């Protein structure tokens, strides 16, 4: 059975991140999609290698954290390392255009009139 996240040894997390507790604005949010740009190399930190194998296809940051059973804050630090090394690409989902988010007011009025006629 895999250890639960809350059972994670804080000293291990400290070692994994090299003592870093956060990164400057990294642009990684929970739904940022990560894609590996190559295979792990010998001598690579095991967590970095796991991320590269996991992200063969687009994978959200939150999914990476869940799979590694690590806090998102730690995973973001590891992703920054990989991004700086050119080993991953990251892209945020594009928001829908503003006009696609809100229905047309005239259409809503027509629906309301139609409902009143029922």
């Amino acid at each position: 059975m895999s250890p639960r996240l809350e059972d994670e040894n804080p000293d291990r997390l400290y070692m994994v991140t090299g003592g870093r507790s956060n990164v400057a604005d990294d642009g990684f949010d929970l739904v940022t999609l990560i894609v590996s740009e190559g295979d792990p190399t010998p001598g690579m930190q095991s967590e970095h290698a796991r991320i590269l194998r996991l992200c063969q296809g687009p994978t959200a940051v939150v999914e990476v954290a869940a799979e590694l059973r690590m806090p998102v804050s730690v995973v973001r630090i590891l992703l920054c390392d990989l991004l700086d090394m050119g080993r991953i690409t990251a892209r945020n989902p594009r928001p829908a255009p503003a006009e696609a988010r809100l229905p047309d007011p005239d259409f809503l009025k027509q629906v309301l009139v139609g409902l009143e006629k029922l």
Side-chain angles (χ1 to χ4, degrees):
M1 176 180 269
S2 299
R4 292 184 324 213
L5 181 62
E6 52 271 8
D7 295 337
E8 188 68 52
N9 180 344
D11 293 336
R12 178 177 174 277
L13 296 178
Y14 180 85
M15 295 298 293
V16 165
T17 63
R20 295 169 290 163
S21 60
N22 62 21
V23 289
D25 184 26
D26 58 19
F28 295 119
D29 61 24
L30 296 178
V31 295
T32 300
L33 297 175
I34 307 300
V35 179
S36 302
E37 292 297 325
D39 294 324
T41 56
M44 177 178 275
Q45 184 175 334
S46 63
E47 290 78 13
H48 287 150
R50 287 178 64 198
I51 291 170
L52 291 178
R53 285 191 293 274
L54 178 64
C55 297
Q56 295 291 323
T59 308
V61 170
V62 71
E63 293 177 83
V64 175
E67 188 67 32
L68 295 180
R69 304 187 63 76
M70 292 182 161
V72 172
S73 58
V74 171
V75 170
R76 288 175 63 207
I77 292 169
L78 296 172
L79 291 172
C80 282
D81 294 343
L82 290 168
L83 188 63
D84 290 345
M85 291 186 275
R87 304 301 307 262
I88 62 169
T89 54
R91 67 175 187 250
N92 289 316
R94 282 182 262 175
E99 62 274 1
R101 287 188 228 151
L102 300 174
D104 178 37
D106 291 329
F107 175 74
L108 291 177
K109 287 177 188 175
Q110 291 174 0
V111 169
L112 184 58
V113 168
L115 289 173
E116 289 172 346
K117 290 181 179 181
L118 289 177

